[in-house]
Amino acid sequence: MEMASYLAGERWSDHPACTHPLLAALARLVNDFTSDEARHRLAPLIPSVIGLNGDDLRVDARIALRAACTALPVVAADLQLAMAVSVLAAEQILAELDGRPQDDLSEMSARALEQAPLAAEGARKLRRGIRVSSRGFRRFAAPNTVQLAARGIANACVADPNRLLRELLEHSIADSRATLGADSPAETVETGRENRRETGRMSADADA
């Protein structure tokens, strides 16, 4: 995220304004939980997060949903219920935003819940009659889902957790870009370069 801030022409920071806060949080988590040997494979994704920002709650919901669906089939049993609840909560938010029935699950969600039937049953019981607010989802539920999912995947008994983490980030970037209709990574990086050149020219003029 620090390199993304530089490429976007911003002040050096791991919380750049050019990237949606939840997507940036996921990127930081994936970076932190990826092994030293595999971290270099994340570098090609850096330009892809630039320019992906906006207020559409669908971005938060789809990132959280992607994280929960990726984690649910592989995390330890004590985390599966939380991930199943997160799947249903994200689907509730999306259903409200899209104007569709609450029980109309996406194929991704249905497939993930089918792979953890006990957790899915428990989540449906817990969620019965409970509605998460948009504000509560954005501020608490979605960030907690992303954090638990990344940690759970990193500690999962799977052959290559690094691959799962990278794919989670890749898919979340693609979901965010599709939702926001953002410019291509090349266009946003070029805009950042122009911003840095303009800042340099302004600094030189001021010194003169």
Side-chain angles (χ1 to χ4, degrees), residues 105-165:
L105 298 180
S106 66
E107 181 181 346
M108 178 175 67
S109 295
R111 186 168 59 249
L113 292 169
E114 287 173 359
Q115 294 181 71
L118 292 179
E121 181 182 359
R124 289 190 175 98
K125 290 179 180 178
L126 284 175
R127 291 276 305 158
R128 193 168 297 149
I130 297 177
R131 178 189 175 277
V132 61
S133 69
S134 298
R135 182 182 180 188
F137 182 82
R138 172 169 275 166
R139 292 188 62 187
F140 303 110
N144 287 341
T145 294
V146 166
Q147 184 175 47
L148 286 174
R151 188 187 306 276
I153 293 169
N155 294 325
C157 294
V158 294
D160 191 356
N162 292 317
R163 178 184 59 80
L164 273 183
L165 287 169

Side-chain angles (χ1 to χ4, degrees), residues 166-184:
R166 186 176 70 254
E167 289 179 353
L168 168 57
L169 182 55
E170 289 173 344
H171 289 309
S172 296
I173 291 169
D175 291 343
S176 300
R177 188 168 298 282
T179 303
L180 293 167
D183 293 334
S184 71

